[in-house]
Each structure stands twice: as structure tokens, then as C-alpha cells.
Amino acid sequence: MAKLLTQSPLHKQSEYQQAILYSELGDRLFNELADKMATKHQYRLLFEHKLKPELFQQIQFAAANYICACLNSPIIPSQAEMLQKLLEARNSLANYTGTGLLMPKREHTLAFNLFQKSIAEAFYRLGANDLIDAVDLPVNLRMVYGKTNPENLRLPFTSCKRHSDVWAGVPADATVVVLPLFGDIENITIEAGEMPREMELSAMRVMSDFDEGKDIPMVVSYTQAQLQHGTMYFNDARGLHQTVRRKSEGVRISVDFRFRRKFNAEYRAMVPPNTGGIEQDMSVPYEDWLKIGNERLIVFDESVEEARAKNNASGAVPLYTRGYRLVDIF
């Protein structure tokens, strides 16, 4: 027993050193991305890229076109009218999930491909193409209402709980991208920050509920990172974040996706592959992701009515969109 006690501090020191090595290597890789992509890098695990106005307008137009297709509205109304229509249709949209996704169905295929294409074109222009390995397909159009269903607050992986996406099964080397598009981003927003450096490595694991990580403290809060329309936010998977509602009215609309970068084999090897998470790996090779809407179409076979019937029969709430086919255009 005495021998074990004398060895224990050395063992703990080794674990600490490994944790710090992991954190420092992650920072170096994240900084390499920021050096190529960021227009502002104020925080260790978060940087920003303010899109050129013409790129953002292109994305907004494509997103509004997709939203109106989901609303079965033949004419794109003003932003105010579109947001009002979404507030009125919240409980009748068969492709809107409790996790906030407006999930594309068969009827929305063309409009969604144009939206996906607009995101890819903007992302390609950020300047880090040589570092990108794989990207989520499809991207997620997310609508978060100020007034939420109390049942959704009890979901194990609801975004209103502070979390890392890794806890749901996302790869530990992923970077999370969020682009606010419309609505009340000031009061229906996302707050982010850091856990202690020495806890990052041990926290990169799948959990059964975001509450399982509630004792991991946010020791640095990114209080000045106020989300704005037209700015892309890049958050390292080691970061903590959560949805915050300061008002019970209104809605905000954003797009989010994750990507993994090249040249990080040592970093990936430090964390065992995630197993048992509710997330599946949604990523495809970057070169394939860029082809959607240009050389290939992403096709969704499930119709709105089929989705409505499924929703009525089951209380399951999917986190992300699955079940599509890729079809060559030419």
C-alpha cells in the first residue's frame, strides 16, 4: 500500500502533463485555422470571420427561399413577414424538430441545394482550403424560438444545457461553425467559454446526458463575443456553449455545421474514437462537399406528409438530418 501511495502523485502528474500537452496541441491547430480564416480572434477557442456583404446577402436569399419552400409560400416576403409566418406556423411545420432544425424533405430538395451551395461557396473563400479534411453534409438550418416547449428543456441533449458537442458523439477534433442569418440574435443567442485546460482531455468523451458534464466549470466566459448577423463563428470542440433566451418572444435563424481539418493525426490519436453517442459522423470529404449544387444534388426521399405521419407516431426527436442520396447532375 505504501508503494502505491508513493507512486500516485507521479501518476497524477503524468496525467496532468498529458492533458496540458493535448490542450496546447489543440490550441496550435486551432490557431493555424484562425491565421487563415479569422477577421477577429479575441478568444482562445473562438474566432470570427465577418463575411463580405455580397456573400452574406447570397446566403440570406438562398436561406429565405428554402424557408419559404417549407412554408409553401410562393413569394419571398420581407424579413419581418417571413419571421411572422414562422412564428405562426411553428406548430404546423412537419419538418421542424424539437432540437430546432428545419429539416429538408422531398418537396424542398431544389431550394435546399441552392442554400447548401451558397454556404459552400462562402466557406471556400475563407482561405483555409488546404487544411480542410471533411465537412458535415447537409448543413443545418436552425430556428430557435424565444418561447420554448417545456418538454424540450428535459431532453438529454438540449442546447440550453451547457455542453461540448463531443458529449453527444461529435469528433473531438471538430470545429463548430455558426452563422446567424435572421431574427433576434441579441436576445435568443449562444454563450460560449472555456473549461479548465487540464479537464479538456478527460472531457472529450460521450455522455448519456449533457447534465453529466454540469460539474465541469466554465472558467472563462466569452462575454464580449456578441453574435451578429453576417459573421461566422468558429468554436473549437473543446469549448463550452449553450443557447440562451433573454426574451420569450421572437425567433432567430442560423446555420451551423462542423468540419475536421487535415494534418492533425497526433491530436486525433490522443482521444479514443467516440462510440455510443447519439450523433453519427455527418461529414463527407471536403472535395465532395463542395460539389453539392454544382456537380451533384443532395436528394431527400421523405415527403412532408410522411414526416408528419412519423412525427405523430413517435416522440423521437432527431438531432441532425440523415437519410439522403447524392445524385450526379451530369
mmCIF file of all heavy atoms in Angstrom, residues 10-24 201 270:
data_model
loop_
_atom_site.group_PDB
_atom_site.id
_atom_site.type_symbol
_atom_site.label_atom_id
_atom_site.label_comp_id
_atom_site.label_asym_id
_atom_site.label_seq_id
_atom_site.Cartn_x
_atom_site.Cartn_y
_atom_site.Cartn_z
ATOM 1 N N LEU A 10 3.092 10.762 -8.837
ATOM 2 C CA LEU A 10 3.753 10.729 -10.138
ATOM 3 C C LEU A 10 2.763 10.402 -11.236
ATOM 4 O O LEU A 10 2.809 10.984 -12.324
ATOM 5 C CB LEU A 10 4.888 9.692 -10.115
ATOM 6 C CG LEU A 10 6.070 10.014 -9.186
ATOM 7 C CD1 LEU A 10 7.076 8.857 -9.194
ATOM 8 C CD2 LEU A 10 6.761 11.296 -9.623
ATOM 9 N N HIS A 11 1.850 9.464 -10.939
ATOM 10 C CA HIS A 11 0.836 9.084 -11.922
ATOM 11 C C HIS A 11 -0.062 10.271 -12.235
ATOM 12 O O HIS A 11 -0.353 10.555 -13.397
ATOM 13 C CB HIS A 11 0.019 7.917 -11.378
ATOM 14 C CG HIS A 11 -1.087 7.479 -12.297
ATOM 15 N ND1 HIS A 11 -0.851 6.929 -13.526
ATOM 16 C CD2 HIS A 11 -2.436 7.545 -12.160
ATOM 17 C CE1 HIS A 11 -1.996 6.654 -14.123
ATOM 18 N NE2 HIS A 11 -2.970 7.019 -13.307
ATOM 19 N N LYS A 12 -0.459 10.998 -11.196
ATOM 20 C CA LYS A 12 -1.322 12.162 -11.401
ATOM 21 C C LYS A 12 -0.592 13.246 -12.177
ATOM 22 O O LYS A 12 -1.167 13.911 -13.026
ATOM 23 C CB LYS A 12 -1.803 12.696 -10.048
ATOM 24 C CG LYS A 12 -2.828 11.796 -9.355
ATOM 25 C CD LYS A 12 -3.306 12.406 -8.064
ATOM 26 C CE LYS A 12 -4.360 11.521 -7.397
ATOM 27 N NZ LYS A 12 -4.831 12.090 -6.116
ATOM 28 N N GLN A 13 0.693 13.425 -11.885
ATOM 29 C CA GLN A 13 1.464 14.426 -12.607
ATOM 30 C C GLN A 13 1.550 14.075 -14.080
ATOM 31 O O GLN A 13 1.452 14.933 -14.950
ATOM 32 C CB GLN A 13 2.863 14.538 -12.009
ATOM 33 C CG GLN A 13 3.706 15.633 -12.641
ATOM 34 C CD GLN A 13 5.097 15.698 -12.064
ATOM 35 O OE1 GLN A 13 5.669 14.673 -11.678
ATOM 36 N NE2 GLN A 13 5.647 16.889 -11.971
ATOM 37 N N SER A 14 1.713 12.802 -14.394
ATOM 38 C CA SER A 14 1.784 12.356 -15.779
ATOM 39 C C SER A 14 0.472 12.635 -16.500
ATOM 40 O O SER A 14 0.474 13.092 -17.646
ATOM 41 C CB SER A 14 2.119 10.863 -15.838
ATOM 42 O OG SER A 14 2.090 10.399 -17.163
ATOM 43 N N GLU A 15 -0.645 12.366 -15.864
ATOM 44 C CA GLU A 15 -1.956 12.647 -16.453
ATOM 45 C C GLU A 15 -2.131 14.140 -16.692
ATOM 46 O O GLU A 15 -2.654 14.557 -17.731
ATOM 47 C CB GLU A 15 -3.069 12.128 -15.532
ATOM 48 C CG GLU A 15 -3.245 10.622 -15.521
ATOM 49 C CD GLU A 15 -4.410 10.194 -14.665
ATOM 50 O OE1 GLU A 15 -4.915 11.044 -13.889
ATOM 51 O OE2 GLU A 15 -4.822 9.027 -14.759
ATOM 52 N N TYR A 16 -1.690 14.942 -15.761
ATOM 53 C CA TYR A 16 -1.786 16.395 -15.907
ATOM 54 C C TYR A 16 -0.949 16.873 -17.084
ATOM 55 O O TYR A 16 -1.404 17.693 -17.891
ATOM 56 C CB TYR A 16 -1.324 17.069 -14.612
ATOM 57 C CG TYR A 16 -1.291 18.578 -14.693
ATOM 58 C CD1 TYR A 16 -2.446 19.325 -14.515
ATOM 59 C CD2 TYR A 16 -0.094 19.249 -14.966
ATOM 60 C CE1 TYR A 16 -2.427 20.712 -14.598
ATOM 61 C CE2 TYR A 16 -0.063 20.637 -15.057
ATOM 62 C CZ TYR A 16 -1.233 21.362 -14.879
ATOM 63 O OH TYR A 16 -1.205 22.723 -14.974
ATOM 64 N N GLN A 17 0.267 16.363 -17.186
ATOM 65 C CA GLN A 17 1.148 16.770 -18.281
ATOM 66 C C GLN A 17 0.566 16.376 -19.626
ATOM 67 O O GLN A 17 0.647 17.133 -20.595
ATOM 68 C CB GLN A 17 2.536 16.152 -18.095
ATOM 69 C CG GLN A 17 3.300 16.730 -16.919
ATOM 70 C CD GLN A 17 4.602 16.011 -16.662
ATOM 71 O OE1 GLN A 17 4.783 14.857 -17.055
ATOM 72 N NE2 GLN A 17 5.529 16.693 -15.994
ATOM 73 N N GLN A 18 -0.038 15.192 -19.678
ATOM 74 C CA GLN A 18 -0.670 14.746 -20.916
ATOM 75 C C GLN A 18 -1.849 15.643 -21.276
ATOM 76 O O GLN A 18 -2.054 15.991 -22.448
ATOM 77 C CB GLN A 18 -1.151 13.286 -20.774
ATOM 78 C CG GLN A 18 -1.742 12.670 -22.032
ATOM 79 C CD GLN A 18 -0.692 12.277 -23.050
ATOM 80 O OE1 GLN A 18 0.493 12.529 -22.854
ATOM 81 N NE2 GLN A 18 -1.113 11.674 -24.140
ATOM 82 N N ALA A 19 -2.614 16.041 -20.281
ATOM 83 C CA ALA A 19 -3.764 16.921 -20.510
ATOM 84 C C ALA A 19 -3.312 18.282 -21.036
ATOM 85 O O ALA A 19 -3.928 18.843 -21.955
ATOM 86 C CB ALA A 19 -4.567 17.087 -19.221
ATOM 87 N N ILE A 20 -2.245 18.823 -20.470
ATOM 88 C CA ILE A 20 -1.745 20.119 -20.924
ATOM 89 C C ILE A 20 -1.159 20.013 -22.330
ATOM 90 O O ILE A 20 -1.349 20.917 -23.165
ATOM 91 C CB ILE A 20 -0.700 20.672 -19.933
ATOM 92 C CG1 ILE A 20 -1.357 20.923 -18.562
ATOM 93 C CG2 ILE A 20 -0.080 21.951 -20.471
ATOM 94 C CD1 ILE A 20 -2.536 21.879 -18.601
ATOM 95 N N LEU A 21 -0.475 18.909 -22.616
ATOM 96 C CA LEU A 21 0.053 18.679 -23.959
ATOM 97 C C LEU A 21 -1.071 18.654 -24.978
ATOM 98 O O LEU A 21 -0.970 19.253 -26.057
ATOM 99 C CB LEU A 21 0.834 17.371 -23.997
ATOM 100 C CG LEU A 21 1.391 16.947 -25.365
ATOM 101 C CD1 LEU A 21 2.416 17.950 -25.860
ATOM 102 C CD2 LEU A 21 1.998 15.545 -25.286
ATOM 103 N N TYR A 22 -2.164 17.975 -24.629
ATOM 104 C CA TYR A 22 -3.334 17.905 -25.507
ATOM 105 C C TYR A 22 -3.911 19.296 -25.750
ATOM 106 O O TYR A 22 -4.209 19.684 -26.880
ATOM 107 C CB TYR A 22 -4.392 16.990 -24.885
ATOM 108 C CG TYR A 22 -5.713 16.975 -25.619
ATOM 109 C CD1 TYR A 22 -5.871 16.236 -26.781
ATOM 110 C CD2 TYR A 22 -6.806 17.698 -25.145
ATOM 111 C CE1 TYR A 22 -7.080 16.219 -27.466
ATOM 112 C CE2 TYR A 22 -8.011 17.697 -25.822
ATOM 113 C CZ TYR A 22 -8.140 16.946 -26.977
ATOM 114 O OH TYR A 22 -9.344 16.942 -27.652
ATOM 115 N N SER A 23 -4.051 20.064 -24.686
ATOM 116 C CA SER A 23 -4.623 21.400 -24.797
ATOM 117 C C SER A 23 -3.737 22.306 -25.653
ATOM 118 O O SER A 23 -4.236 23.044 -26.518
ATOM 119 C CB SER A 23 -4.803 22.013 -23.399
ATOM 120 O OG SER A 23 -5.388 23.286 -23.480
ATOM 121 N N GLU A 24 -2.438 22.243 -25.443
ATOM 122 C CA GLU A 24 -1.523 23.108 -26.189
ATOM 123 C C GLU A 24 -1.474 22.724 -27.665
ATOM 124 O O GLU A 24 -1.404 23.595 -28.538
ATOM 125 C CB GLU A 24 -0.132 23.047 -25.559
ATOM 126 C CG GLU A 24 -0.076 23.713 -24.193
ATOM 127 C CD GLU A 24 1.291 23.575 -23.527
ATOM 128 O OE1 GLU A 24 2.090 22.732 -23.997
ATOM 129 O OE2 GLU A 24 1.546 24.302 -22.547
ATOM 130 N N LEU A 201 -8.973 17.166 -21.937
ATOM 131 C CA LEU A 201 -8.730 15.821 -22.464
ATOM 132 C C LEU A 201 -9.699 14.810 -21.875
ATOM 133 O O LEU A 201 -10.319 14.039 -22.615
ATOM 134 C CB LEU A 201 -7.284 15.399 -22.174
ATOM 135 C CG LEU A 201 -6.888 13.996 -22.657
ATOM 136 C CD1 LEU A 201 -7.128 13.834 -24.147
ATOM 137 C CD2 LEU A 201 -5.421 13.716 -22.317
ATOM 138 N N MET A 270 -4.873 11.186 -29.601
ATOM 139 C CA MET A 270 -4.856 11.384 -28.152
ATOM 140 C C MET A 270 -6.211 11.122 -27.511
ATOM 141 O O MET A 270 -6.304 10.947 -26.293
ATOM 142 C CB MET A 270 -4.382 12.798 -27.823
ATOM 143 C CG MET A 270 -2.950 13.078 -28.233
ATOM 144 S SD MET A 270 -2.377 14.742 -27.800
ATOM 145 C CE MET A 270 -2.059 14.535 -26.046
#
